[in-house]
Amino acid sequence: MTRSKTPPAGEGLAGEQARPAPAATGPAAAPGADEPRPGTRVRGHQLAIPSVLMRGGTSRGPFFARADLPADDETLARVLRAALGSPHPLQVDGLGGGHPLTSKAGIVGPSTEPGVDLDFRFAQLRPDDDSVDMNANCGNLLAAVVPFAVETGMVVPVADTTTARVRTLNTGAVAEVSVRTPRDRDGVRGVEYAGDTRIDGAPGSSSPVTIGFLDTAGSVAGSLLPTRNRRDTVEVPGLGPVEVTCIDNGQPLVIVAASALGATGREGPAELAADSVLRERVEALRLAAGALMGLGDVSARNYPKMTLVSPPRDGGALSTRSFIPRVVHESIGVLAAVTAATACVLPGTVAHELAVLPVTRDAEATLSIEHPSGAFEVRLGWEPGDPARVTRSALVRTARALMAGDIRVPLNAWNPKEEL
């Protein structure tokens, strides 16, 4: 794999001549924030920022080259809110889709870490508030990182399969991501999106994106079992003591039996979302468990996620219903599936008690994690005799570039002092 040079300043995806982007100002501006950003262009009273709208797994959002965005987080958050149209329930003034799964963004650049090819920063926005969370991972959008890098010339493929090591800056986790890059009819290599791989929660079929996680334990919470216990008892107001498993193998999860909260685990997302009593119980449990996991006050955080579990119904290992954290997931997140699968193989956890595990003689297994839209297969490997030491996890997603061009945001999103 080879990497292309960074495009020269003033030249975007379409190669248009540009004016420098407005400078970031104020005390939060980082060193270098007042320098022109490559690729951005002023168009009238708006700023045009090169972007590719990507689907990754069951999520969607605009992707940007790191060099095209502000250097400081305060300005970056304003630009991302303007790009997606947050906060607004429909995000009608931006590219957001009115749902947390379609209110995301990816930022990619060449990595500064030896042995790593790309750095990926994930941003979770919301339709209903102005938060921009850049602390957690998103395994679904991770599937779109290498396709985006090939689309924009950050990575130049030299074979029919291109593999790149990607570091998620939010948590430091590293993954090897492989995509198919055959030659097209003109002899040019590029990402092949057509294929026969299907994933539940996304329509049709596509070419596979293989993701192998190298080290995800304790991605946010610091360790696989942040409370040091495989099971804890948490007091929930109005409900009493509830047993949970607090675990983080790429995504901090609170795993609880659906029956412990008065649910069956067979409800659909709409039914769960309409149950205000259940949602209040889930959020109360999340706040208490977040503190127990050492995450502090998580009332404004998008983690830990909540996973209600029950015995499998369709031949899988475990049935799940996910809250992300206040909206019910139509399926399950990538890293949530990895973490739930990990809990399945750990004796003593809430998940292990309800799971139906495949018979295996080796320290590895493929587990099918059921969710409302189908199932998610996760391949796990662990130290022989010690499933708490997960050594590898792998899965298959799909991705597709949906649109490429410029996202336009008001000039004062980048610089509040800019005259309109």
Side-chain angles (χ1 to χ4, degrees):
M1 184 195 73
T2 58
R3 189 182 296 135
S4 69
K5 296 180 180 179
T6 303
E11 188 172 308
L13 293 178
E16 299 179 32
Q17 193 62 33
R19 286 165 54 193
T25 61
D34 58 346
E35 298 174 2
R37 312 304 292 172
T40 55
R41 297 174 299 287
V42 173
R43 291 291 178 265
H45 296 287
Q46 296 196 95
L47 182 67
I49 307 173
S51 177
V52 180
L53 185 64
M54 302 289 302
R55 176 184 65 80
T58 56
S59 296
R60 190 193 73 200
F63 271 61
F64 303 91
R66 181 179 59 205
D68 291 337
L69 291 178
D72 68 285
D73 285 356
E74 182 178 333
T75 308
L76 176 61
R78 285 198 305 270
V79 170
L80 292 178
R81 282 193 291 266
L84 275 81
S86 289
H88 185 274
L90 298 178
Q91 294 176 312
V92 69
D93 200 37
L95 290 184
H99 190 281
L101 294 181
T102 54
S103 187
K104 302 181 176 187
I107 304 166
V108 182
S111 183
T112 58
E113 181 76 10
V116 178
D117 302 297
L118 298 167
D119 283 342
F120 166 53
R121 197 173 189 194
F122 164 66
Q124 175 70 66
L125 289 87
R126 296 179 57 82
D128 54 357
D129 63 44
D130 63 358
S131 64
V132 181
D133 191 344
M134 291 181 277
N135 293 292
N137 279 336
C138 177
N140 273 302
L141 281 199
L142 177 60
V145 171
V146 176
F148 169 78
V150 173
E151 292 280 356
T152 55
M154 287 184 199
V155 168
V156 179
V158 296
D160 288 347
T161 298
T162 295
T163 299
R165 279 199 170 190
V166 180
R167 176 178 60 161
T168 302
L169 294 178
N170 299 37
T171 65
V174 177
E176 287 187 342
V177 182
S178 297
V179 299
R180 292 178 181 172
T181 50
R183 297 186 186 276
D184 62 17
R185 65 184 66 184
D186 297 319
V188 178
R189 293 192 183 278
V191 179
E192 180 181 55
Y193 294 111
D196 57 7
T197 298
R198 296 179 180 274
I199 61 171
D200 292 327
S205 63
S206 304
S207 180
V209 179
T210 303
I211 303 174
F213 294 101
L214 304 182
D215 183 14
T216 54
S219 65
V220 174
S223 63
L224 180 69
L225 297 169
T227 71
R228 301 184 180 180
N229 303 316
R230 299 187 182 189
R231 188 181 294 230
D232 292 283
T233 300
V234 178
E235 286 286 336
V236 177
L239 187 62
V242 175
E243 291 190 335
V244 300
T245 292
C246 300
I247 185 169
D248 177 3
N249 194 20
Q251 183 74 262
L253 288 190
V254 178
I255 296 177
V256 57
S259 59
L261 297 180
T264 66
R266 299 181 180 182
E267 297 89 349
E271 185 178 355
L272 292 172
D275 190 337
S276 59
V277 173
L278 175 64
R279 287 191 289 106
E280 288 174 3
R281 290 174 176 174
V282 169
E283 182 62 8
L285 181 59
R286 189 182 79 87
L287 296 178
L292 195 64
M293 297 169 76
L295 299 173
D297 180 3
V298 297
S299 56
R301 297 287 191 184
N302 285 301
Y303 58 80
K305 313 292 189 186
M306 303 298 294
T307 303
L308 279 59
V309 297
S310 59
R313 298 182 62 196
D314 299 311
L318 188 73
S319 180
T320 63
R321 297 294 185 267
S322 300
F323 288 72
I324 53 170
R326 302 170 192 86
V327 174
V328 183
H329 205 306
E330 296 292 333
S331 54
I332 188 172
V334 169
L335 292 163
V338 170
T339 302
T342 304
C344 285
V345 303
L346 284 175
T349 67
V350 172
H352 185 272
E353 181 179 277
L354 299 172
V356 177
L357 298 177
V359 177
T360 177
R361 295 181 180 179
D362 302 316
E364 61 180 32
T366 298
L367 279 69
S368 179
I369 304 301
E370 298 177 3
H371 55 75
S373 300
F376 197 127
E377 287 195 349
V378 178
R379 185 75 177 175
L380 286 180
W382 57 90
E383 290 285 346
D386 188 4
R389 294 182 62 85
V390 175
T391 57
R392 60 192 177 280
S393 53
L395 45 87
V396 174
R397 296 274 83 189
T398 64
R400 190 164 75 89
L402 305 177
M403 184 175 67
D406 293 329
I407 289 180
R408 298 196 176 192
V409 302
L411 289 176
N412 64 352
W414 194 300
N415 183 352
K417 296 182 179 179
E418 184 77 25
E419 294 183 3
L420 295 180

